[in-house]
Structures are given as C-alpha cells and as structure tokens.
Amino acid sequence: MARRTNRTPVNNGVDAGQAEAFELEQQNDRHLDSLAAKVTALHSVSININDEVNSQNRLLDTTAGTFNRFGNMFGRTRRQLKHTLATANSRFLCYMVFVLVFGVIGLYYIAKHVLSGMREPYELP
C-alpha cells in the first residue's frame, strides 16, 4: 500500500490539533499496511484451497470412472455366470465347484506356508 509522502513533520509552531491529526493519519496508515498484509495472506490461502479442491474433484472423477468400469465388468460377469448356469449340466457344475474350492485352498496354502517364509530381514515374525 503506498503511503502519502507529502506530509511534513510536526513543527514546534503547529498547534496540538494538527499534531494529533497527523499522528492519527500515521496510525491509520500502519493499520492499512497491516490489513493489506492480512488480505494478501488470505488471498494466497484461498488460492491454495481452490487448488486442493480442484485436485480432489479430479480424484473423485477418476474414482467414479473406476467404479463404473468395475460395475460394468461385474454385470457382464454376472450375466455370463447366469448363462453358464442355465445352459450347463450338473456334471460341469460339480467340476467347477471342485476347481474353485481346491483353488482357494491351494492359494491359502501358498499364502500361509510358502510366502510366510519369504519375510524381509527387517520384519518382525
């Protein structure tokens, strides 16, 4: 904030009213400078908030797209499973259940016994 520079210092011949007015103007200028600094700080904070909001909106848009793709893929899988169950015979379904059950048990075994031995040296048991 630019200060007025055409003021003259108080001389001994100037009356008390003018000296008080001059002092009040100086005090007012100091307050204006302080207010300008606070407004500048508030402006930078509001710009940072705006940037963060835009970043969060982009993240939400990306997440919504991901969930939409997952929902479409899940719907296709559900329709294919429904079609398979409607057209398959009971023998095929028994094989499918057998493979799924033993597949899950096999993955559990691998995760429990094989991967547990591959700990990093800095990990606690």
Side-chain angles (χ1 to χ4, degrees):
M1 169 127 308
R3 291 187 180 181
R4 295 182 220 159
T5 58
N6 60 353
R7 296 188 188 135
T8 57
V10 178
N11 294 333
N12 290 338
V14 179
D15 64 3
Q18 288 177 338
E20 183 179 350
F22 182 73
E23 179 61 34
L24 288 175
E25 282 188 41
Q26 285 181 336
Q27 190 178 34
N28 198 16
D29 286 342
R30 286 192 300 271
H31 289 302
L32 283 175
D33 290 341
S34 173
L35 183 61
K38 290 175 184 176
V39 167
T40 302
L42 186 60
H43 181 260
S44 68
V45 167
S46 65
I47 288 174
N48 290 340
I49 289 172
N50 184 41
D51 292 342
E52 184 63 27
V53 165
N54 289 335
S55 171
Q56 294 294 324
N57 283 337
R58 282 190 302 274
L59 178 66
L60 286 174
D61 291 341
T62 303
T63 304
T66 302
F67 279 115
N68 285 335
R69 285 191 306 274
F70 175 75
N72 293 337
M73 185 175 53
F74 184 71
R76 276 194 318 267
T77 304
R78 185 179 50 85
R79 284 191 301 274
Q80 289 172 351
L81 183 61
K82 192 180 215 182
H83 176 69
T84 302
L85 291 176
T87 60
N89 59 22
S90 62
R91 191 173 184 189
F92 175 73
L93 291 177
C94 287
Y95 287 138
M96 187 188 315
V97 169
F98 180 77
V99 167
L100 287 174
V101 168
F102 282 104
V104 169
I105 291 172
L107 288 175
Y108 175 76
Y109 177 79
I110 289 171
K112 184 74 173 170
H113 297 290
V114 175
L115 295 179
S116 65
M118 298 175 62
R119 289 195 177 125
E120 296 291 327
Y122 55 86
E123 289 184 1
L124 295 176

